[in-house]
Amino acid sequence: MVVLAKPPAALEQISLVRSPSVGDNFTGVPVVDLAAPGAARDVIRACERFGFLKVVSHGVGEGVVGRLEAEAVRFFASPQAVKDAHGPASPFGYGNKRIGRNGDMGWLEYLLLAIDGESLSRASPAPSSSLRDAANEYVGAMRRMARTVLEMVAEGLGVTPRGALADMVVADAASDQLLRLNHYPPCPLLQNLMPNCSPTGFGEHTDPQLISILHSNSTSGLQVALHHDDAAGDHQWVTVPPDPTSFLVIVGDSLQVMTNGRLRSVRHRVVANKLKSRVSMIYFGGPPLEQRIAPLRQLLAGGGDGEEQSRYEEFTWGEYKKAAYLSRLGDNRLAPFHRQPPPVAKRHA
Ligand SMILES: C=C1C[C@]23C[C@H]1CC[C@H]2[C@@]12CCC[C@@](C)(C(=O)O1)[C@H]2[C@@H]3C(=O)O
Ligand SMILES: O=C(O)CCC(=O)C(=O)O
């Protein structure tokens, strides 16, 4: 008799992917010591080549991370009815398996919290005052790190003032920032049913903002697409080994446009672990809604050959965000804004 393995009902709408093996661990993750001389150059190199980097010597105390993670774990361990009372995430609040508004599903639950200036927005439904306090302290640390890294990006690209990018995210009271706490529960059912498959935790996507800063516990699951396509033109997906002592900085679509494509946003996804819970916390740094998203003028001033053209049609962050919320998670949201390259001028002999 042939027994066909069928995924359990809870997993019906979630795509299954091949389980990563330890051998898939990427050993080339770029690491930048934020306190070292030359860090700005290293940040640029990593962002150009990979669209993400791991930061160490970041100055964020263990307690700041530990307090928020403990609050997240406590909230996700509460009865389902308590969690549901804080949802659905539309867009803020508690979400379970549904991501965005257009049918994307993942093996996770999350809390999406809006930030107003320096702390959680009063309108954002933090489930408890202790979680709110821990989140506010964490947001302060993320905003400092976002400033440091974005100043290094400006410095590394030779853009002045150093705050040209950082100020959009952390100096403007109207900037559009978010904090997301993710919990990917284990999925032991699949362990016996389909030993080689794991549920998709968070489907592949790029982040629309300028910068995202990610922390996770020690459960693996994050994968990134390397920028160099393989021979068939497909992305090569690699597993980023978890490291709770560090943070991952991820280049978003808006930073790609502002650097005229010199830095490129990176597709990433999460494969849920079958045996262990993964908990991640991400800060997303976006500019005010009316901010024009276009290459920084100094980057278009041109080298020897004169003016460099923008590779993108112009848009505001508000327009891009609106379009993003109408898209599917895995869509290439920048594609409609790519300009055709100008025809190559014929050289006269
Ligand atoms: C299908 C989705 C889900 C979106 C919006 C839309 C496309 C991109 C997704 C993200 C990805 C980055 C964080 C987030 C908060 C964001 O700004 O864009 C996500 C948002 C959500 O999870 O709600
Ligand atoms: O949990 C992770 O490691 C990544 C999650 C993610 O990409 C997101 O929340 O946008």
Side-chain angles (χ1 to χ4, degrees):
M1 187 175 72
V2 181
V3 180
L4 289 176
K6 190 172 172 294
L11 278 167
E12 246 162 30
Q13 295 180 65
I14 295 172
S15 54
L16 303 179
V17 285
R18 190 180 60 81
S19 309
S21 60
V22 180
D24 295 338
N25 271 357
F26 185 46
T27 52
V29 173
V31 182
V32 177
D33 178 338
L34 286 187
R41 182 203 56 213
D42 295 345
V43 165
I44 291 297
R45 275 200 194 146
C47 291
E48 283 183 340
R49 178 134 187 247
F50 296 103
F52 77 99
L53 57 120
K54 168 167 153 172
V55 296
V56 297
S57 301
H58 43 67
V60 182
E62 262 175 55
V64 176
V65 177
R67 272 188 287 281
L68 183 58
E69 195 173 277
E71 287 293 336
V73 168
R74 197 159 71 96
F75 171 70
F76 290 125
S78 25
Q80 193 59 48
V82 171
K83 293 188 280 188
D84 287 340
H86 294 280
S90 57
F92 305 121
Y94 173 73
N96 190 4
K97 298 196 185 73
R98 292 173 201 286
I99 301 171
R101 304 166 186 164
N102 303 312
D104 290 291
M105 305 277 281
W107 187 253
L108 89 163
E109 54 180 346
Y110 59 88
L111 253 185
L112 195 46
L113 302 164
I115 301 168
D116 226 349
E118 294 175 20
S119 44
L120 290 197
S121 139
R122 281 270 142 209
S124 208
S128 66
S129 57
S130 52
L131 190 146
R132 177 180 289 277
D133 292 346
N136 282 341
E137 186 185 30
Y138 188 82
V139 163
M142 292 304 101
R143 285 167 49 84
R144 283 189 286 280
M145 202 191 302
R147 167 166 295 286
T148 303
V149 173
L150 288 172
E151 285 187 355
M152 286 181 177
V153 169
E155 187 190 323
L157 292 171
V159 167
T160 53
R162 283 184 94 217
L165 293 162
D167 287 351
M168 290 177 201
V169 176
V170 294
D172 200 314
S175 68
D176 194 12
Q177 310 159 84
L178 298 170
L179 179 66
R180 178 179 209 137
L181 309 177
N182 292 320
H183 173 222
Y184 305 87
C187 190
L189 266 173
L190 275 191
Q191 184 67 8
N192 299 327
L193 271 177
M194 296 178 158
N196 301 321
C197 286
S198 299
T200 299
F202 209 110
E204 66 172 280
H205 65 284
T206 60
D207 295 341
Q209 292 80 0
L210 272 87
I211 189 174
S212 315
I213 306 177
L214 166 67
H215 181 274
S216 83
N217 69 355
S218 56
T219 301
S220 68
L222 180 72
Q223 300 190 331
V224 298
L226 296 184
H227 281 154
H228 347 278
D229 298 342
D230 65 15
D234 292 330
H235 297 298
Q236 188 194 342
W237 285 99
V238 294
T239 298
V240 178
D243 174 4
T245 67
S246 68
F247 292 84
L248 277 193
V249 168
I250 297 174
V251 173
D253 296 339
S254 298
L255 189 54
Q256 172 169 332
V257 174
M258 287 181 166
T259 60
N260 208 22
R262 259 190 77 178
L263 312 193
R264 277 192 287 159
S265 60
V266 60
R267 289 180 92 72
H268 53 283
R269 66 184 183 194
V270 175
V271 179
N273 193 289
K274 282 186 287 194
L275 301 175
K276 294 195 298 175
S277 276
R278 174 177 171 88
V279 178
S280 66
M281 317 196 280
I282 311 201
Y283 164 86
F284 299 100
L289 291 179
E290 63 280 6
Q291 173 68 49
R292 160 179 176 270
I293 308 291
L296 294 165
R297 215 171 306 119
Q298 288 163 65
L299 296 180
L300 294 181
D305 287 338
E307 296 275 304
E308 182 180 316
Q309 299 291 313
S310 171
R311 298 184 181 179
Y312 307 91
E313 302 295 345
E314 238 182 81
F315 51 86
T316 63
W317 167 243
E319 287 163 348
Y320 195 61
K321 185 175 172 180
K322 199 167 155 201
Y325 275 90
L326 292 171
S327 69
R328 293 296 298 260
L329 190 58
D331 286 351
N332 181 346
R333 281 173 279 279
L334 270 186
F337 296 97
H338 270 283
R339 277 195 185 150
Q340 294 301 326
V344 182
K346 285 201 184 110
R347 280 186 185 277
H348 295 291

